[in-house]
Amino acid sequence: MSTGTRRERERATVRESMVAVALALLEREGAAALTVRRVAGEVEYTAPVVYQHFANKQALLLALVEVGYERLRERMAAAARTATTTDDRLLAPTGAYVRFAGDNPHLYALMNNTAVDPHDRFRAAAPITRLVVDLMTGWAAEHGVVLASPVEACEVAWGTLYGIASLGQLDTIGFDRAAHLADRALRALMLTWRTHPDGDYPAA
Amino acid sequence: MSTGTRRERERATVRESMVAVALALLEREGAAALTVRRVAGEVEYTAPVVYQHFANKQALLLALVEVGYERLRERMAAAARTATTTDDRLLAPTGAYVRFAGDNPHLYALMNNTAVDPHDRFRAAAPITRLVVDLMTGWAAEHGVVLASPVEACEVAWGTLYGIASLGQLDTIGFDRAAHLADRALRALMLTWRTHPDGDYPAA
DNA sequence: ATAGCTATTCTAACGTTGTTAGATCCCGAG
DNA sequence: CTCGGGATCTAACAACGTTAGAATAGCTAT
């Protein structure tokens, strides 16, 4: 029975190389090139072997999405750590987010593709949601401000960031400008949170 | 030669019914059901006939995207017309945008799908960009404020709106809440534009 | 009215996709 | 050495986008 664990280890290794190969393929040649047969071929297997590690193509794509969100979380957390000022601890992860979208455009598109089950995507993104909530409550505390609804503020910031980063994929805008726009948008939000932490803004 | 124009009319009619059928199919059964054969069948033709009206499936999808942006523009313009206060002239189109995304989730997803050429999508959305710029400059004028960069403000607002509306497709959030979030986000932006029209926000 | 041309439509097929069934092969256990 | 079970392959299926070529329809001109 001692061979059982090695078998498992080998199985996991094959699975991981499939994910790695699929990631490389996706980013190198785009979503259209990401076919089951090519992934299998790139790890020197035939197509049906893929189905011993993933229930179907969706499951493989979901694995890529999960890796994507994990890498994104790492980048954002690292950016937050290097920040020195209070506002930078929010602005730096923002920049990291847009930069990630620029560095891995196809993976980023997949992470937000409606073809992958929205529920699964949301679950994969949960750690980032937690991180952002933490960053935001930390920011508010350092500013001596209590937000009426931190989760609402978080959702607004998340949506904003997502939308502006997606704008960067348009070649008429580009990711450098998108990073600038995201910075502006978040600064505006922060300004409002400080002056109106209750979330109730006056109209005119 | 008098039959030539009637032929053209008939051709245009067939093309339009294909677009109409494709739109209905997309919204009723989702993107996966939108196949060339089904569109052809639904207008009682065989598949190759589709290729006499569209170069390929991409072209058909692009036609749907164009219809989508046109309808969205109409809805936003109508909402702006019914608004009474200065701020509502910006907030009402915002609500119309999110509501459109909620009413036509699959079409909205297609309009922002990277599978459709980004350049074409941007071109299809151009009239809306114009509308939003107009609304924004009008808003600024009525508030007696000159924005340092109206196009930057527009891009930020557009990205924000897009991101938050996309959030609505997650069943954990939903379009009602997304509409609320979009309202909050835009109010925050407007507040900032009034107090800092130069676009230079203080840090802390 | 009829013959012929042209545009329209269909049938049939190709290559590729995701996916599954069954044969085959290999490797470890008794 | 044999045998049993998991791993892997071959072959195939249905459905997809797409194209070529046959058939058919409808208009035009005599």
Side-chain angles (χ1 to χ4, degrees), chain A residues 44-66:
Chain A
E44 295 183 303
Y45 279 114
T46 53
V49 177
V50 173
Y51 292 86
Q52 249 160 5
H53 300 271
F54 303 93
N56 45 36
K57 193 185 180 183
Q58 290 284 326
L60 171 58
L61 295 184
L62 179 59
L64 303 190
V65 168
E66 282 165 353

Side-chain angles (χ1 to χ4, degrees), chain B:
Chain B
M1 282 301 152
S2 75
T3 145
T5 83
R6 200 198 64 205
R7 277 280 173 78
E8 280 178 31
R9 220 166 35 223
E10 283 175 358
R11 273 189 64 85
T13 301
V14 172
R15 195 192 134 104
E16 271 171 45
S17 23
M18 281 179 179
V19 170
V21 153
L23 272 173
L25 202 50
L26 173 65
E27 220 47 83
R28 185 154 27 90
E29 304 189 29
L34 189 55
T35 133
V36 172
R37 282 177 171 86
R38 280 210 64 185
V39 170
E42 213 107 11
V43 291
E44 295 183 305
Y45 280 113
T46 53
V49 177
V50 173
Y51 291 86
Q52 248 160 5
H53 300 271
F54 302 94
N56 44 37
K57 193 185 179 183
Q58 289 285 325
L60 171 59
L61 295 184
L62 180 58
L64 303 190
V65 168
E66 283 166 353
V67 171
Y69 274 115
E70 173 55 21
R71 289 190 188 171
L72 175 56
R73 206 208 86 251
E74 283 168 11
R75 285 228 221 169
M76 290 176 74
R81 275 194 298 276
T82 69
T84 55
T85 76
T86 295
D87 282 6
D88 264 354
R89 255 183 292 281
L90 234 48
L91 290 174
T94 294
Y97 180 98
V98 180
R99 224 171 305 122
F100 178 88
D103 291 344
N104 319 293
H106 292 109
L107 177 56
Y108 180 73
L110 185 66
M111 287 158 65
N112 298 108
N113 192 341
T114 52
V116 182
D117 185 73
H119 186 270
D120 289 337
R121 270 157 45 212
F122 188 78
R123 217 165 37 87
I128 301 198
T129 309
R130 261 194 300 280
L131 170 65
V132 173
V133 170
D134 286 352
L135 289 174
M136 205 121 73
T137 57
W139 175 89
E142 291 184 38
H143 271 301
V145 140
V146 308
L147 294 170
S149 175
V151 23
E152 177 173 300
C154 175
E155 285 170 347
V156 167
W158 184 257
T160 300
L161 211 47
Y162 162 56
I164 292 180
S166 301
L167 240 53
Q169 273 175 329
L170 276 49
D171 50 0
T172 48
I173 294 195
F175 283 101
D176 285 343
R177 175 149 184 81
H180 173 249
L181 295 175
D183 194 79
R184 281 300 159 96
L186 227 75
R187 286 194 128 93
L189 286 178
M190 292 193 304
L191 201 61
T192 312
W193 291 333
R194 283 213 326 254
T195 55
H196 295 78
D198 51 356
D200 203 8
Y201 319 129

Side-chain angles (χ1 to χ4, degrees), chain A:
Chain A
M1 280 304 151
S2 74
T3 144
T5 82
R6 200 197 64 206
R7 276 282 172 76
E8 281 177 30
R9 219 165 39 223
E10 283 175 359
R11 273 190 64 85
T13 302
V14 172
R15 195 193 134 104
E16 270 170 46
S17 25
M18 281 179 179
V19 170
V21 153
L23 272 172
L25 201 51
L26 173 64
E27 220 47 83
R28 184 153 27 90
E29 305 189 29
L34 190 56
T35 132
V36 173
R37 280 177 173 85
R38 279 211 64 187
V39 170
E42 213 106 13
V43 291
E44 295 183 303
Y45 279 114
T46 53
V49 177
V50 173
Y51 292 86
Q52 249 160 5
H53 300 271
F54 303 93
N56 45 36
K57 193 185 180 183
Q58 290 284 326
L60 171 58
L61 295 184
L62 179 59
L64 303 190
V65 168
E66 282 165 353
V67 171
Y69 275 115
E70 173 54 21
R71 289 191 189 170
L72 176 55
R73 205 209 87 251
E74 282 168 12
R75 284 228 221 169
M76 290 176 73
R81 276 194 298 274
T82 69
T84 55
T85 77
T86 296
D87 281 7
D88 264 354
R89 257 183 291 282
L90 233 48
L91 290 173
T94 295
Y97 180 98
V98 180
R99 225 170 305 122
F100 178 88
D103 290 343
N104 319 293
H106 292 110
L107 178 56
Y108 180 73
L110 185 66
M111 287 158 65
N112 298 109
N113 193 343
T114 52
V116 183
D117 185 72
H119 186 270
D120 290 336
R121 270 157 46 211
F122 188 78
R123 216 165 38 87
I128 302 198
T129 309
R130 261 194 301 279
L131 171 65
V132 174
V133 170
D134 286 351
L135 289 174
M136 204 121 71
T137 57
W139 175 89
E142 291 184 36
H143 272 301
V145 139
V146 308
L147 294 170
S149 175
V151 23
E152 177 173 301
C154 175
E155 285 171 349
V156 167
W158 184 257
T160 300
L161 211 46
Y162 162 55
I164 292 181
S166 301
L167 241 52
Q169 273 176 329
L170 275 50
D171 50 0
T172 49
I173 293 195
F175 283 101
D176 286 344
R177 177 152 184 80
H180 173 249
L181 295 176
D183 194 80
R184 282 298 159 96
L186 228 75
R187 286 193 129 93
L189 285 179
M190 293 193 303
L191 202 62
T192 312
W193 292 333
R194 284 212 327 252
T195 56
H196 295 78
D198 50 357
D200 203 9
Y201 319 129

